[in-house]
Amino acid sequence: VAEPYQRILLLFAHPAIEKSRVNRELLAEARTLPGVTVRDLYEIYPDLIIDVRAEQSLLIEHDVVLLQHPFYWYSTPAILKEWMDLVLEYGFAYGDKGTALRGKSWVHAITTGGSEEAYTAEGANRFTMRELLAPLDQTATLCGMNFLEPFLLHGVLAYHSERDIPVARRAYRKFLETLTRTESGGHA
Ligand SMILES: Cc1cc2nc3c(=O)[nH]c(=O)nc-3n(C[C@H](O)[C@H](O)[C@H](O)COP(=O)(O)O)c2cc1C
C-alpha cells in the first residue's frame, strides 16, 4: 500500500529574488524535496499576466497550495493578490459549481522584518499574525479549503547567514516534510 502523502504546490512570490537572503534559501531547501512542485511566480509571469487555466490545472493536481513569500505591507507581494483575483474564479473556486478546491489545504510560509513581539496587541504592529492573515484565511475558507497554521520566520532582517540561515532551512524542511504527510482530506 502506498504511503498517503500530500502533493504540494509551492507558489513562490518574491519580486527581487537576487536581493532575497532568506526566501531564496528556503526555496532552495524546498526544491530538494520530492512531492513539492515549485513555481516562482515572478519568474514565470514577469509582466504579471497570469495564465489562469494553467494555474487552475495545477491546483487541481495538488492537495496543498503553499504560498511562500516575504510579508509586504502586512500581506502578500502583489503577484499573489493578482493570482487570487484571477485564478480563484467564480464557478471554479466558489459559487454553486465552484467546487474544484474543496477539501484541499491552503498554507503560508512567511518571513517578516518585524520581530515576534512586534506582532502582538502591545507591539508596534498592533495585531497578531493570525489576525492579519484573516482575509487570506477567509479566502481559503470561502473556497472550501482548510487554512493550515502558517510557517513563520520573524525578524529575518537580523539574520546572519552563517548561523540563522541553516537553522531556518532545517525548520522549513521539517515543516514541508510534515505537510507532505498531513492528511488534509484532499483525497477524500
Ligand atoms: C515593500 C516591502 C514591504 C514590507 N512590509 C513589511 C511588513 O508589513 N511587515 C514586516 O514585518 N516586514 C515587512 N517588510 C520586510 C520584509 O518582510 C523582509 O524584508 C523580508 O521578509 C526579507 O526576506 P528576503 O530576505 O527573502 O527578502 C517589507 C519589505 C518590503 C520591501
Side-chain angles (χ1 to χ4, degrees), residues 49-61:
I49 298 172
I50 291 177
D51 183 338
V52 174
R53 295 293 163 259
E55 294 301 320
Q56 289 177 344
S57 300
L58 282 162
L59 282 172
I60 289 165
E61 290 163 13

Side-chain angles (χ1 to χ4, degrees), residues 14 20-23 70-74 111-114 119 156-157:
H14 194 302
S20 162
R21 287 177 66 232
V22 184
N23 278 283
F71 214 31
Y72 276 8
W73 288 112
Y74 307 104
T111 63
T112 77
Y119 285 98
V156 299
L157 298 174

Side-chain angles (χ1 to χ4, degrees), residues 15 39 52 68 87 90 94 97 101-102 104 115 161 163:
R39 302 264 299 167
V52 174
Q68 185 198 321
V87 178
Y90 176 82
Y94 69 100
K97 292 182 177 135
L101 304 180
R102 274 195 201 159
K104 295 181 188 286
S115 66
S161 348
R163 215 177 44 237

Side-chain angles (χ1 to χ4, degrees), residues 12-27 68 70 72 111 165:
F12 178 75
H14 194 302
I17 193 167
E18 67 285 354
K19 290 188 193 153
S20 162
R21 287 177 66 232
V22 184
N23 278 283
R24 181 184 22 197
E25 295 279 348
L26 298 181
L27 190 69
Q68 185 198 321
Y72 276 8
T111 63
I165 299 282

Side-chain angles (χ1 to χ4, degrees), residues 92-107:
F92 172 77
Y94 69 100
D96 273 356
K97 292 182 177 135
T99 58
L101 304 180
R102 274 195 201 159
K104 295 181 188 286
S105 295
W106 173 309
V107 64

